[in-house]
Amino acid sequence: MTKTMLPFLVACVFAAFAAAIALAFAGAASPAAAAHIGFAAGIMPLIFGAMMHFVPVLTRGRPPQARVQVIPPAMLGAGLVAAAAFLLPGFFQIGIRIAVLAGLTFALAMAVWMVRCARAALGAPHPCLRWYLAAVGCLILALLAVLAMEFLPDHRPALRLFHLHLNTLGFIGLTALGTLTVLLPTAAGQPDPDAAGRLRRDLPLAVAGVLLTAAGAAWWPPLAYAGLVLLFLPVALLGTAWVVRFPRAMLRVHGAAPSLALALAGLLALLFLSALHAQRRLAGGDAVFGFLLAFLLPLVSGAASQLLPLWLKPGAQTDWHRAARETLGRFAVLRGLTFVAAGWLVAAGWPPGAWLALAGLAAFVAQALRIAARR
Ligand code: HEM
């Protein structure tokens, strides 16, 4: 993969998150436009880029060929068109059609490439690969739901809910849980011998949880509660395993580990809160924004603290990499706490809480610019 692609996609995510938060505050973007700036143009392409980095590691295979490497930038294109469609009402219908067709094509291409890598693997691929396949499967289903909106206009509100839950909990959630299980032990500098077994065991629970939650939110709410319980289990089991195995690393003030642990805590609390929004005690839009702040920001900043040095300078690990990780991880716990607190406040119905996240975001961007300048 070209050296600049992953750092570029990380920069795009932070620019997209900052733009989404600022535009939503200024009233210049609808909640749907803000969601697609942050999620479709920001996080979706980065997820594809990160998967492309991890899949050869999980399958002990070769790096992707040049034609496979176009997938993450192509997803960025699809996401930007989707965001533009929500920002420009005259472009909505055609923009959504283009974005859906492009998104579906490249998501399918990604799934095919992952299956090929799994087949060519020396020995059994790491079970995290199945989480990635399930995540891409959720994105494909979510995009098919958008396509179905054209043909079933009466079902549009239900299909919208199906689409948004499959994307947030399924596409982003499953990718994140698979990656966190592998990444936290690396960040803590200590192996987790149970990780592969847990990933293998918990995937059916997580996938069933996502599908029941999405279908329940769309068509029959009692089903969503059953889905929530199923989804809660793997998240809580992962958290419990970490508390037992990595208590010191998670409680450090600096480094990637506390940020990743906070992301999981953020997700766990949001799952609790989501039961309240399912009962209409909290607004659903606030829950989506809370998800971005309390889960995605600590997750992406924690993962980037660990991975960005490697992505900026691939190859042998040097003193520069160690120093860069130190800079990115400095006071990570404070940064992570601002994100989680902001997300909880917003999800609980107090939007100005998002300013806290902008402060944390500014701190991380300053740290990232410092290491990029020292390169
Ligand atoms: C090519 C990519 C995408 C397209 C074309 C697309 C399209 C759409 C459409 C047409 C709607 C319904 C809007 C309405 O109510 O009329 C929608 C809603 C939504 N989508 Fe997407 N989407 C895409 C990707 C994503 C991704 C990756 C995520 C999250 C990870 C996401 C999250 C949402 C959310 C949260 C809503 C509800 C927004 C609201 O009404 O407040 N979408 N999307």
Side-chain angles (χ1 to χ4, degrees), residues 242-339:
W242 282 359
V243 169
V244 172
R245 202 171 278 282
F246 309 110
R248 289 160 66 104
M250 283 162 67
L251 291 177
R252 275 186 213 141
V253 176
H254 311 291
S259 213
L260 298 175
L262 274 168
L264 197 73
L267 178 64
L268 209 58
L270 284 173
L271 289 178
F272 266 124
L273 284 181
S274 60
L276 294 179
H277 98 245
Q279 294 168 0
R280 307 278 180 264
R281 291 170 196 237
L282 290 176
D286 293 341
V288 173
F289 203 18
F291 177 86
L292 188 151
L293 300 172
F295 176 50
L296 286 183
L297 282 179
L299 175 76
V300 178
S301 57
S305 308
Q306 184 65 26
L307 295 167
L308 198 56
L310 179 69
W311 290 346
L312 279 169
K313 272 196 186 185
Q317 297 297 291
T318 59
D319 281 350
W320 179 86
H321 291 89
R322 195 187 37 75
R325 283 203 180 97
E326 258 174 41
T327 304
L328 288 171
R330 196 153 297 142
F331 292 110
V333 82
L334 293 182
R335 206 176 57 203
L337 281 172
T338 63
F339 295 147

Side-chain angles (χ1 to χ4, degrees), residues 32 36 39 86 99-100 143 146 149 156 160 163-164 167 172:
H36 288 84
F39 292 137
F86 282 99
V100 164
L143 293 178
V146 174
M149 288 175 190
R156 188 181 183 101
R160 171 184 161 273
H163 164 84
L164 87 84
N167 265 332
I172 298 180

Side-chain angles (χ1 to χ4, degrees), residues 36-110:
H36 288 84
I37 296 170
F39 292 137
I43 202 80
M44 179 173 76
L46 177 65
I47 287 183
F48 275 71
M51 283 180 177
M52 207 157 267
H53 165 83
F54 282 119
V55 167
V57 182
L58 299 172
T59 56
R60 291 174 291 273
R62 274 190 253 128
Q65 310 95 304
R67 66 192 152 94
V68 177
Q69 291 179 28
V70 301
I71 297 177
M75 286 313 262
L76 175 62
L80 284 171
V81 174
F86 282 99
L87 286 169
L88 309 167
F91 178 63
F92 184 76
Q93 207 173 26
I94 182 76
I96 291 295
R97 283 182 194 158
I98 296 172
V100 164
L101 292 178
L104 274 174
T105 309
F106 291 103
L108 272 172
M110 184 75 181

